[in-house]
Coordinates of all heavy atoms in Angstrom, one line a residue:
M275 N -20.4 18.4 17.0 CA -20.3 19.8 17.6 C -19.1 20.5 17.0 O -18.0 19.9 16.9 CB -20.2 19.7 19.1 CG -20.2 21.1 19.7 SD -19.5 20.9 21.4 CE -18.9 22.6 21.6
N276 N -19.3 21.7 16.6 CA -18.2 22.5 16.1 C -17.6 23.4 17.2 O -18.2 24.3 17.7 CB -18.7 23.4 14.9 CG -17.6 24.2 14.3 OD1 -16.4 24.1 14.7 ND2 -18.0 25.1 13.4
I277 N -16.3 23.1 17.5 CA -15.7 23.8 18.6 C -15.4 25.3 18.2 O -15.1 26.1 19.1 CB -14.3 23.2 19.0 CG1 -13.3 23.2 17.8 CG2 -14.5 21.8 19.6 CD1 -11.9 23.0 18.3
Y278 N -15.5 25.7 17.0 CA -15.3 27.1 16.6 C -16.5 27.9 16.7 O -16.4 29.1 16.7 CB -14.8 27.1 15.1 CG -13.4 26.5 15.0 CD1 -13.3 25.2 14.6 CD2 -12.3 27.2 15.3 CE1 -12.0 24.6 14.5 CE2 -11.0 26.7 15.3 CZ -10.9 25.4 14.8 OH -9.7 24.8 14.8
A279 N -17.7 27.3 17.0 CA -18.9 28.1 17.0 C -18.9 29.2 18.1 O -19.3 30.3 17.8 CB -20.1 27.1 17.3
D280 N -18.4 28.9 19.3 CA -18.4 29.9 20.3 C -17.0 30.5 20.5 O -16.8 31.1 21.5 CB -19.0 29.4 21.6 CG -18.3 28.2 22.1 OD1 -17.4 27.7 21.5 OD2 -18.7 27.7 23.2
R281 N -16.1 30.2 19.6 CA -14.7 30.7 19.8 C -14.3 31.6 18.6 O -13.1 31.9 18.5 CB -13.8 29.6 19.9 CG -14.0 28.8 21.2 CD -12.9 27.6 21.3 NE -13.0 26.9 22.5 CZ -13.8 25.9 22.7 NH1 -14.5 25.4 21.8 NH2 -13.8 25.3 23.9
A282 N -15.2 32.0 17.8 CA -14.8 32.7 16.5 C -14.1 34.0 16.9 O -13.0 34.3 16.3 CB -16.1 33.0 15.7
N283 N -14.6 34.8 17.8 CA -13.9 36.1 18.1 C -12.5 35.9 18.7 O -11.6 36.6 18.3 CB -14.8 36.9 19.1 CG -15.9 37.6 18.4 OD1 -15.7 38.3 17.3 ND2 -17.1 37.5 18.9
Y284 N -12.4 34.9 19.6 CA -11.2 34.5 20.2 C -10.1 34.1 19.1 O -9.0 34.6 19.1 CB -11.4 33.4 21.2 CG -10.1 32.9 21.8 CD1 -9.4 33.7 22.8 CD2 -9.6 31.7 21.5 CE1 -8.2 33.2 23.3 CE2 -8.4 31.2 22.0 CZ -7.7 32.0 22.9 OH -6.5 31.5 23.4
Y285 N -10.6 33.2 18.2 CA -9.7 32.7 17.2 C -9.2 33.9 16.3 O -8.0 34.0 16.1 CB -10.5 31.8 16.3 CG -9.6 31.2 15.1 CD1 -8.9 30.0 15.3 CD2 -9.5 31.9 13.9 CE1 -8.1 29.5 14.3 CE2 -8.7 31.4 12.9 CZ -8.0 30.2 13.1 OH -7.2 29.8 12.1
D286 N -10.1 34.8 15.9 CA -9.7 35.9 15.1 C -8.7 36.8 15.8 O -7.7 37.2 15.2 CB -11.0 36.6 14.7 CG -10.8 37.5 13.4 OD1 -10.3 36.9 12.4 OD2 -11.0 38.7 13.5
L287 N -9.0 37.2 17.0 CA -8.1 38.1 17.7 C -6.7 37.4 18.0 O -5.7 38.1 17.8 CB -8.7 38.5 19.1 CG -10.0 39.4 19.0 CD1 -10.6 39.5 20.3 CD2 -9.6 40.8 18.4
L288 N -6.7 36.1 18.3 CA -5.5 35.4 18.6 C -4.6 35.5 17.4 O -3.4 35.8 17.5 CB -5.8 34.0 18.9 CG -4.6 33.1 19.1 CD1 -3.9 33.4 20.4 CD2 -5.0 31.6 19.2
F289 N -5.1 35.2 16.2 CA -4.3 35.1 15.0 C -4.0 36.5 14.4 O -3.0 36.7 13.7 CB -4.8 34.2 14.0 CG -4.5 32.8 14.4 CD1 -5.5 32.0 15.0 CD2 -3.3 32.2 14.2 CE1 -5.2 30.7 15.4 CE2 -3.0 30.9 14.5 CZ -4.0 30.1 15.2
Q290 N -4.8 37.5 14.7 CA -4.6 38.8 14.2 C -3.5 39.6 15.0 O -2.7 40.3 14.5 CB -5.9 39.6 14.3 CG -6.4 40.2 13.0 CD -7.5 41.1 13.3 OE1 -7.5 42.3 13.0 NE2 -8.6 40.6 13.8
Y291 N -3.5 39.3 16.3 CA -2.7 40.2 17.2 C -1.6 39.4 17.9 O -0.6 40.0 18.4 CB -3.5 40.9 18.2 CG -4.4 41.9 17.5 CD1 -5.8 41.7 17.5 CD2 -4.0 43.0 16.8 CE1 -6.7 42.5 16.9 CE2 -4.8 43.9 16.2 CZ -6.2 43.6 16.2 OH -7.0 44.5 15.5
I292 N -1.7 38.1 18.0 CA -0.6 37.3 18.8 C 0.2 36.4 17.8 O 1.4 36.6 17.7 CB -1.3 36.6 20.0 CG1 -1.9 37.6 20.9 CG2 -0.2 35.8 20.7 CD1 -2.7 37.1 22.0
C293 N -0.5 35.5 17.2 CA 0.2 34.6 16.3 C 0.2 35.2 14.9 O -0.3 34.7 13.9 CB -0.5 33.2 16.2 SG -0.7 32.5 17.8
T294 N 0.9 36.4 14.8 CA 0.7 37.2 13.6 C 1.3 36.7 12.3 O 0.9 37.0 11.3 CB 1.2 38.6 13.9 OG1 2.6 38.5 14.5 CG2 0.4 39.4 14.9
D295 N 2.4 35.8 12.5 CA 3.1 35.4 11.3 C 2.5 34.1 10.7 O 2.8 33.7 9.6 CB 4.6 35.0 11.6 CG 5.3 36.3 12.0 OD1 4.8 37.4 11.7 OD2 6.4 36.2 12.6
Y296 N 1.7 33.4 11.4 CA 1.2 32.1 11.0 C 0.6 32.1 9.6 O 1.0 31.3 8.8 CB 0.2 31.5 12.1 CG -0.4 30.2 11.6 CD1 0.3 29.0 11.7 CD2 -1.7 30.2 11.1 CE1 -0.2 27.8 11.2 CE2 -2.3 29.0 10.7 CZ -1.5 27.8 10.7 OH -2.1 26.7 10.3
H297 N -0.4 32.9 9.4 CA -1.1 32.9 8.1 C -0.2 33.4 6.9 O -0.3 33.0 5.8 CB -2.4 33.7 8.2 CG -3.4 33.0 9.0 ND1 -3.5 33.2 10.4 CD2 -4.3 32.1 8.8 CE1 -4.4 32.5 10.9 NE2 -5.0 31.7 9.9
D298 N 0.7 34.3 7.3 CA 1.7 34.7 6.2 C 2.5 33.5 5.8 O 2.8 33.3 4.6 CB 2.7 35.8 6.8 CG 2.0 37.1 7.0 OD1 0.9 37.4 6.4 OD2 2.5 37.9 7.8
E299 N 2.9 32.7 6.7 CA 3.8 31.5 6.4 C 2.9 30.5 5.6 O 3.4 29.9 4.7 CB 4.3 30.9 7.7 CG 5.3 31.7 8.4 CD 6.6 32.0 7.5 OE1 7.0 31.1 6.8 OE2 7.0 33.2 7.6
V300 N 1.7 30.3 6.0 CA 0.8 29.4 5.3 C 0.7 29.8 3.8 O 0.9 29.0 2.9 CB -0.6 29.3 5.9 CG1 -1.6 28.5 5.0 CG2 -0.5 28.6 7.3
V301 N 0.4 31.1 3.6 CA 0.2 31.6 2.2 C 1.5 31.5 1.4 O 1.5 31.2 0.2 CB -0.4 33.0 2.3 CG1 -0.5 33.6 0.9 CG2 -1.8 32.9 2.9
K302 N 2.6 31.8 2.1 CA 3.9 31.7 1.4 C 4.1 30.3 0.9 O 4.6 30.1 -0.2 CB 5.0 32.1 2.4 CG 6.2 32.7 1.8 CD 7.1 33.3 2.9 CE 8.4 32.8 3.0 NZ 9.2 33.3 4.1
S303 N 3.8 29.3 1.7 CA 4.0 27.9 1.2 C 3.0 27.5 0.2 O 3.2 26.6 -0.6 CB 4.1 27.0 2.4 OG 2.9 26.9 3.1
L304 N 1.8 28.1 0.3 CA 0.7 27.7 -0.7 C 0.9 28.4 -2.0 O 0.5 27.8 -3.1 CB -0.7 28.2 -0.2 CG -1.4 27.3 0.8 CD1 -2.7 28.1 1.2 CD2 -1.8 26.0 0.2
F305 N 1.5 29.5 -2.0 CA 1.5 30.4 -3.2 C 2.0 29.7 -4.5 O 1.4 29.8 -5.6 CB 2.1 31.7 -3.0 CG 1.7 32.7 -4.0 CD1 0.4 33.1 -4.1 CD2 2.6 33.2 -5.0 CE1 -0.1 34.0 -5.1 CE2 2.2 34.0 -6.0 CZ 0.9 34.5 -6.1
P306 N 3.1 29.0 -4.4 CA 3.6 28.3 -5.6 C 2.6 27.3 -6.2 O 2.6 27.1 -7.4 CB 4.9 27.6 -5.1 CG 5.3 28.3 -3.9 CD 4.0 28.8 -3.2
I307 N 1.7 26.8 -5.4 CA 0.7 25.8 -5.9 C -0.5 26.6 -6.5 O -0.9 26.2 -7.5 CB 0.3 24.9 -4.7 CG1 1.4 24.2 -4.1 CG2 -0.8 24.0 -5.2 CD1 1.1 23.6 -2.7
I308 N -0.9 27.6 -5.8 CA -2.1 28.3 -6.3 C -1.9 29.4 -7.3 O -2.8 29.9 -7.9 CB -3.0 28.9 -5.1 CG1 -2.2 30.0 -4.4 CG2 -3.4 27.7 -4.2 CD1 -3.0 30.6 -3.3
R309 N -0.6 29.8 -7.5 CA -0.3 30.9 -8.3 C -1.0 30.9 -9.7 O -1.4 31.9 -10.2 CB 1.2 30.9 -8.5 CG 1.8 32.0 -9.3 CD 3.3 32.0 -9.3 NE 3.8 30.7 -9.5 CZ 5.0 30.3 -9.0 NH1 5.8 31.1 -8.3 NH2 5.5 29.0 -9.2
D310 N -1.0 29.7 -10.3 CA -1.5 29.6 -11.7 C -3.0 29.3 -11.8 O -3.5 29.1 -12.9 CB -0.7 28.5 -12.4 CG 0.8 28.9 -12.5 OD1 1.1 30.1 -12.5 OD2 1.6 27.9 -12.4
F311 N -3.7 29.3 -10.7 CA -5.1 29.0 -10.7 C -6.0 30.3 -10.4 O -5.6 31.1 -9.5 CB -5.5 27.9 -9.7 CG -4.9 26.6 -10.0 CD1 -3.6 26.3 -9.5 CD2 -5.5 25.8 -10.9 CE1 -3.1 25.0 -9.8 CE2 -4.9 24.5 -11.3 CZ -3.7 24.2 -10.7
N312 N -7.1 30.4 -11.1 CA -7.9 31.6 -10.8 C -9.2 31.3 -10.0 O -9.8 32.2 -9.4 CB -8.4 32.2 -12.2 CG -7.9 33.6 -12.3 OD1 -7.2 34.1 -11.4 ND2 -8.3 34.3 -13.3
N313 N -9.5 30.0 -9.9 CA -10.7 29.6 -9.1 C -10.1 28.8 -7.8 O -9.5 27.8 -8.0 CB -11.6 28.6 -9.8 CG -12.2 29.4 -11.0 OD1 -12.8 30.5 -10.8 ND2 -12.1 28.8 -12.2
I314 N -10.3 29.4 -6.7 CA -9.7 28.9 -5.5 C -10.8 28.6 -4.5 O -11.7 29.5 -4.2 CB -8.7 29.8 -4.9 CG1 -7.5 30.0 -5.9 CG2 -8.1 29.3 -3.5 CD1 -6.6 31.1 -5.5
V315 N -10.8 27.4 -3.9 CA -11.8 27.1 -2.8 C -11.0 26.7 -1.6 O -10.1 25.9 -1.6 CB -12.6 25.8 -3.2 CG1 -13.6 25.5 -2.1 CG2 -13.4 26.1 -4.5
E316 N -11.4 27.3 -0.5 CA -10.8 27.0 0.8 C -11.9 26.3 1.7 O -12.9 27.0 2.0 CB -10.2 28.2 1.5 CG -9.5 27.8 2.9 CD -9.0 29.0 3.6 OE1 -9.1 30.2 3.1 OE2 -8.5 28.8 4.7
I317 N -11.7 25.1 2.0 CA -12.6 24.4 2.9 C -12.1 24.6 4.3 O -11.0 24.3 4.7 CB -12.7 22.9 2.6 CG1 -13.2 22.7 1.1 CG2 -13.6 22.1 3.6 CD1 -13.1 21.3 0.6
G318 N -13.0 25.2 5.1 CA -12.6 25.6 6.5 C -12.0 27.0 6.4 O -10.9 27.2 7.0
V319 N -12.6 27.9 5.8 CA -12.1 29.3 5.5 C -12.0 30.1 6.8 O -11.2 31.0 6.9 CB -13.0 30.0 4.5 CG1 -14.4 30.3 5.0 CG2 -12.3 31.3 4.0
G320 N -12.8 29.7 7.8 CA -12.7 30.4 9.1 C -13.1 31.8 9.0 O -14.1 32.2 8.3
T321 N -12.3 32.7 9.6 CA -12.6 34.1 9.5 C -11.9 34.8 8.3 O -11.9 36.1 8.3 CB -12.1 34.8 10.8 OG1 -10.7 34.7 11.0 CG2 -12.8 34.2 12.0
G322 N -11.4 34.1 7.4 CA -10.9 34.6 6.2 C -9.4 35.1 6.2 O -9.0 35.9 5.3
L323 N -8.7 34.7 7.2 CA -7.3 35.2 7.3 C -6.4 34.8 6.2 O -5.5 35.5 5.7 CB -6.7 34.9 8.7 CG -7.4 35.6 9.8 CD1 -7.1 34.9 11.2 CD2 -7.1 37.0 9.9
I324 N -6.6 33.6 5.7 CA -5.8 33.1 4.5 C -6.3 33.8 3.2 O -5.6 34.3 2.4 CB -5.9 31.6 4.4 CG1 -5.0 30.9 5.5 CG2 -5.4 31.1 3.0 CD1 -5.0 29.4 5.5
A325 N -7.7 33.8 3.1 CA -8.3 34.4 1.9 C -7.9 35.8 1.7 O -7.6 36.3 0.6 CB -9.8 34.3 2.1
E326 N -7.8 36.5 2.8 CA -7.4 38.0 2.8 C -6.0 38.1 2.2 O -5.8 39.0 1.3 CB -7.4 38.5 4.2 CG -7.0 40.0 4.3 CD -7.1 40.5 5.7 OE1 -6.6 39.7 6.7 OE2 -7.6 41.6 6.0
R327 N -5.1 37.2 2.6 CA -3.7 37.3 2.1 C -3.6 36.9 0.6 O -2.9 37.4 -0.2 CB -2.8 36.5 3.0 CG -2.6 37.1 4.3 CD -2.1 36.2 5.3 NE -1.7 36.8 6.6 CZ -2.6 37.2 7.5 NH1 -3.9 37.0 7.3 NH2 -2.1 37.8 8.6
V328 N -4.4 35.8 0.3 CA -4.4 35.3 -1.1 C -4.9 36.4 -2.0 O -4.4 36.7 -3.1 CB -5.2 34.0 -1.3 CG1 -5.4 33.7 -2.7 CG2 -4.5 32.9 -0.5
L329 N -6.0 37.1 -1.6 CA -6.6 38.2 -2.4 C -5.7 39.3 -2.6 O -5.7 40.0 -3.6 CB -7.9 38.6 -1.8 CG -9.1 37.6 -2.1 CD1 -10.2 37.9 -1.1 CD2 -9.5 37.6 -3.5
K330 N -4.8 39.6 -1.7 CA -3.8 40.7 -1.9 C -2.8 40.3 -3.0 O -2.4 41.1 -3.7 CB -3.0 40.9 -0.6 CG -3.8 41.8 0.4 CD -2.9 42.3 1.5 CE -3.8 43.1 2.4 NZ -3.6 42.9 3.8
L331 N -2.5 39.0 -3.1 CA -1.5 38.5 -4.1 C -2.2 38.3 -5.4 O -1.6 38.4 -6.5 CB -0.9 37.2 -3.6 CG 0.0 37.4 -2.3 CD1 0.4 36.0 -1.8 CD2 1.2 38.2 -2.6
K332 N -3.5 37.9 -5.4 CA -4.3 37.6 -6.6 C -5.6 38.3 -6.5 O -6.7 37.6 -6.3 CB -4.5 36.0 -6.7 CG -3.2 35.2 -7.0 CD -3.5 33.8 -7.0 CE -4.3 33.4 -8.2 NZ -3.7 33.4 -9.5
P333 N -5.6 39.6 -6.7 CA -6.9 40.3 -6.5 C -8.0 40.0 -7.4 O -9.2 40.2 -7.1 CB -6.4 41.8 -6.6 CG -5.1 41.8 -7.2 CD -4.5 40.4 -7.0
N334 N -7.7 39.4 -8.5 CA -8.8 39.1 -9.5 C -9.2 37.6 -9.5 O -10.0 37.2 -10.3 CB -8.3 39.4 -10.9 CG -8.1 40.9 -11.0 OD1 -8.9 41.7 -10.5 ND2 -7.0 41.3 -11.7
C335 N -8.7 36.8 -8.5 CA -9.2 35.4 -8.5 C -10.6 35.3 -7.9 O -11.1 36.2 -7.3 CB -8.2 34.6 -7.7 SG -8.3 34.8 -5.9
N336 N -11.2 34.2 -8.3 CA -12.6 33.8 -7.8 C -12.3 33.0 -6.6 O -12.0 31.8 -6.7 CB -13.4 33.1 -8.8 CG -13.6 33.9 -10.1 OD1 -13.9 35.1 -10.0 ND2 -13.3 33.3 -11.2
F337 N -12.6 33.5 -5.4 CA -12.3 32.8 -4.1 C -13.6 32.4 -3.5 O -14.4 33.2 -3.2 CB -11.4 33.7 -3.2 CG -10.7 32.9 -2.1 CD1 -9.3 32.8 -2.2 CD2 -11.4 32.3 -1.1 CE1 -8.6 32.1 -1.2 CE2 -10.7 31.6 -0.1 CZ -9.3 31.5 -0.2
T338 N -13.7 31.1 -3.2 CA -14.9 30.6 -2.4 C -14.4 30.0 -1.1 O -13.5 29.2 -1.1 CB -15.6 29.5 -3.2 OG1 -16.0 30.1 -4.5 CG2 -16.9 29.0 -2.5
G339 N -15.0 30.5 0.0 CA -14.7 29.9 1.3 C -15.9 29.2 1.9 O -17.0 29.7 1.9
I340 N -15.6 28.0 2.3 CA -16.6 27.1 2.9 C -16.3 26.8 4.3 O -15.2 26.6 4.7 CB -16.7 25.7 2.1 CG1 -17.0 26.0 0.6 CG2 -17.7 24.8 2.7 CD1 -16.8 24.8 -0.2
D341 N -17.4 26.9 5.2 CA -17.1 26.6 6.6 C -18.4 26.1 7.2 O -19.5 26.4 6.7 CB -16.6 27.8 7.3 CG -15.8 27.5 8.5 OD1 -16.4 27.0 9.6 OD2 -14.6 27.6 8.5
I342 N -18.3 25.3 8.3 CA -19.5 24.8 9.0 C -19.9 25.8 10.1 O -21.0 25.6 10.7 CB -19.3 23.4 9.6 CG1 -18.0 23.4 10.4 CG2 -19.4 22.3 8.6 CD1 -17.8 22.1 11.2
S343 N -19.1 26.8 10.4 CA -19.4 27.7 11.5 C -19.9 29.0 11.0 O -19.2 29.8 10.4 CB -18.1 27.9 12.4 OG -18.3 29.0 13.2
K344 N -21.1 29.3 11.3 CA -21.7 30.6 10.9 C -21.0 31.7 11.6 O -20.8 32.8 10.9 CB -23.2 30.6 11.2 CG -23.9 31.9 10.8 CD -25.4 31.9 11.1 CE -26.0 33.2 10.6 NZ -25.3 34.4 10.9
Q345 N -20.6 31.5 12.8 CA -19.9 32.6 13.5 C -18.6 32.9 12.9 O -18.2 34.1 12.8 CB -19.6 32.1 15.0 CG -20.9 32.0 15.8 CD -21.6 30.6 15.6 OE1 -21.3 29.8 14.8 NE2 -22.6 30.4 16.5
M346 N -17.8 31.9 12.4 CA -16.6 32.2 11.7 C -16.9 32.9 10.4 O -16.2 33.8 10.0 CB -15.8 30.9 11.4 CG -15.3 30.1 12.7 SD -14.0 31.0 13.6 CE -12.6 30.2 13.0
L347 N -17.9 32.4 9.7 CA -18.2 33.0 8.4 C -18.7 34.5 8.5 O -18.4 35.3 7.7 CB -19.3 32.2 7.7 CG -18.9 30.8 7.1 CD1 -20.1 30.0 6.7 CD2 -17.9 31.0 6.0
D348 N -19.4 34.8 9.6 CA -19.8 36.2 9.8 C -18.6 37.1 9.9 O -18.6 38.2 9.4 CB -20.6 36.3 11.1 CG -22.0 35.7 11.0 OD1 -22.4 35.5 9.8 OD2 -22.7 35.5 12.0
L349 N -17.5 36.6 10.6 CA -16.3 37.4 10.7 C -15.6 37.5 9.4 O -15.0 38.5 9.0 CB -15.4 36.9 11.8 CG -15.9 37.0 13.2 CD1 -14.9 36.4 14.2 CD2 -16.2 38.5 13.6
A350 N -15.6 36.4 8.6 CA -15.0 36.4 7.3 C -15.7 37.5 6.4 O -15.1 38.2 5.6 CB -15.1 35.0 6.6
K351 N -17.1 37.5 6.5 CA -17.9 38.4 5.7 C -17.5 39.9 6.1 O -17.4 40.7 5.3 CB -19.4 38.1 6.0 CG -20.3 39.1 5.3 CD -20.5 38.7 3.8 CE -21.4 39.6 3.1 NZ -21.4 39.4 1.7
K352 N -17.4 40.1 7.4 CA -17.0 41.4 7.9 C -15.6 41.8 7.4 O -15.4 43.0 7.0 CB -16.9 41.4 9.4 CG -17.3 42.7 10.1 CD -17.5 42.4 11.6 CE -17.1 43.5 12.5 NZ -17.1 43.1 13.9
R353 N -14.7 40.8 7.3 CA -13.3 41.1 6.9 C -13.3 41.4 5.3 O -12.6 42.3 4.9 CB -12.4 39.9 7.3 CG -11.1 39.9 6.6 CD -10.1 39.0 7.3 NE -9.7 39.6 8.5 CZ -9.9 39.1 9.7 NH1 -10.4 37.9 9.8 NH2 -9.5 39.7 10.8
L354 N -14.0 40.6 4.6 CA -13.8 40.5 3.1 C -15.0 41.0 2.3 O -14.8 41.2 1.1 CB -13.4 39.1 2.7 CG -12.1 38.6 3.3 CD1 -12.0 37.1 3.2 CD2 -10.9 39.3 2.7
G355 N -16.1 41.3 3.0 CA -17.3 41.8 2.2 C -17.6 40.9 1.0 O -17.7 39.7 1.2
N356 N -17.8 41.5 -0.1 CA -18.1 40.8 -1.3 C -17.0 40.3 -2.1 O -17.1 39.9 -3.3 CB -19.1 41.6 -2.2 CG -20.4 41.8 -1.5 OD1 -20.9 41.0 -0.7 ND2 -21.0 43.0 -1.6
K357 N -15.8 40.4 -1.6 CA -14.6 40.0 -2.4 C -14.5 38.5 -2.6 O -13.8 38.0 -3.4 CB -13.3 40.5 -1.7 CG -13.1 42.0 -1.7 CD -11.8 42.3 -1.0 CE -11.7 43.8 -0.7 NZ -10.6 44.0 0.3
I358 N -15.2 37.8 -1.7 CA -15.2 36.3 -1.9 C -16.6 35.8 -1.7 O -17.5 36.5 -1.1 CB -14.2 35.6 -0.9 CG1 -14.8 35.5 0.5 CG2 -12.9 36.1 -0.9 CD1 -13.9 34.6 1.4
K359 N -16.8 34.6 -2.2 CA -18.1 33.9 -2.0 C -18.0 33.1 -0.8 O -17.0 32.3 -0.6 CB -18.4 33.1 -3.2 CG -19.8 32.4 -3.2 CD -20.0 31.7 -4.5 CE -21.4 31.0 -4.3 NZ -21.6 30.0 -5.4
L360 N -18.9 33.2 0.2 CA -18.9 32.4 1.4 C -20.1 31.4 1.4 O -21.2 31.8 1.1 CB -18.9 33.3 2.6 CG -17.7 34.2 2.8 CD1 -17.9 35.3 3.8 CD2 -16.4 33.4 3.2
V361 N -19.8 30.2 1.8 CA -20.8 29.2 1.8 C -20.8 28.4 3.1 O -19.7 28.0 3.6 CB -20.6 28.1 0.7 CG1 -21.6 27.0 0.7 CG2 -20.5 28.8 -0.7
E362 N -22.0 28.4 3.8 CA -22.0 27.6 5.1 C -22.4 26.2 4.7 O -23.4 25.9 4.1 CB -23.1 28.2 6.0 CG -23.2 27.6 7.3 CD -24.2 28.2 8.2 OE1 -24.8 29.3 7.9 OE2 -24.5 27.6 9.3
S363 N -21.5 25.3 5.2 CA -21.8 23.9 4.9 C -22.5 23.2 6.1 O -22.5 23.8 7.2 CB -20.5 23.1 4.6 OG -19.6 23.2 5.6
I364 N -23.0 22.1 5.9 CA -23.8 21.4 6.9 C -23.0 20.3 7.5 O -22.4 19.5 6.8 CB -25.2 20.9 6.4 CG1 -26.0 22.1 5.8 CG2 -25.9 20.1 7.4 CD1 -27.1 21.6 4.9
Q365 N -23.0 20.2 8.8 CA -22.3 19.1 9.5 C -23.3 18.0 9.8 O -24.3 18.3 10.4 CB -21.7 19.6 10.8 CG -20.7 18.6 11.4 CD -20.0 19.2 12.6 OE1 -20.4 20.1 13.2 NE2 -18.8 18.6 12.9
K366 N -23.0 16.8 9.3 CA -24.0 15.7 9.6 C -23.6 14.9 10.8 O -22.4 14.8 11.1 CB -24.0 14.8 8.4 CG -24.7 15.4 7.2 CD -25.0 14.4 6.1 CE -25.8 15.1 5.0 NZ -26.1 14.3 3.9
Ligands
SAM69 C1 -8.3 26.1 12.5 S1 -9.6 26.9 11.7 C2 -8.8 27.5 10.3 C3 -9.5 28.6 9.6 C4 -8.7 29.2 8.4 N1 -8.4 28.2 7.4 C5 -7.4 29.8 8.9 O1 -6.3 29.3 8.5 O2 -7.5 30.9 9.6 C6 -10.6 25.5 11.1 C7 -11.9 25.9 10.4 O3 -12.4 24.8 9.7 C8 -13.8 24.8 9.9 N2 -14.2 23.4 9.8 C9 -14.0 22.3 10.6 N3 -14.6 21.2 10.0 C10 -15.1 21.5 8.8 C11 -15.8 20.8 7.8 N4 -16.1 19.5 7.9 N5 -16.3 21.5 6.7 C12 -16.0 22.9 6.6 N6 -15.4 23.6 7.6 C13 -14.9 22.9 8.7 C14 -14.0 25.3 11.4 O4 -15.3 25.8 11.6 C15 -13.0 26.4 11.4 O5 -13.5 27.6 11.0

């Protein structure tokens, strides 16, 4: 069972308006690693909060986000439109 299935809106609001610095800090620590790559895959992309920040820093990169939660991916799609490729993976 995916605990994010019925919590997608809550997750997105929490990190957008309350834990506002968290994703900035994650991307700050990731950036030295991903800076030189153009193809980036995030497994567990969620609602796209990391992807959104990476795309601001690397607007021309090819970003693919994978997640098992359709609800999370729907919010990522709303946030990022066609700027990234989103893939729903299957949980066995
Ligand atoms: C804590 S959230 C993080 C989301 C995003 N990376 C962020 O930082 O905002 C974890 C995400 O991983 C996804 N997830 C959990 N297990 C997964 C798996 N086996 N394959 C793909 N996604 C998975 C969940 O559905 C959820 O969206």
Side-chain angles (χ1 to χ4, degrees):
M275 182 198 156
N276 179 6
I277 61 159
Y278 292 97
D280 58 357
R281 293 182 174 90
N283 281 310
Y284 173 74
Y285 180 90
D286 200 54
L287 290 171
L288 176 70
F289 282 99
Q290 237 187 117
Y291 298 111
I292 298 172
C293 307
T294 49
D295 294 341
Y296 174 76
H297 291 88
D298 290 336
E299 291 301 319
V300 170
V301 173
K302 207 164 124 187
S303 64
L304 275 179
F305 199 68
I307 302 165
I308 63 174
R309 182 175 42 208
D310 299 328
F311 295 93
N312 239 4
N313 296 308
I314 299 171
V315 178
E316 183 182 359
I317 298 172
V319 68
T321 63
L323 293 164
I324 288 177
E326 180 179 43
R327 286 161 175 79
V328 170
L329 284 165
K330 276 193 184 138
L331 298 169
K332 290 179 70 72
N334 296 320
C335 74
N336 301 310
F337 199 111
T338 301
I340 301 171
D341 208 287
I342 47 172
S343 165
K344 183 181 180 316
Q345 292 83 351
M346 296 291 264
L347 288 170
D348 286 346
L349 291 180
K351 178 78 180 169
K352 208 165 148 188
R353 166 162 289 118
L354 298 163
N356 294 325
K357 289 184 197 163
I358 73 172
K359 183 177 176 192
L360 293 168
V361 178
E362 184 178 352
S363 58
I364 297 166
Q365 189 173 26
K366 289 193 176 177

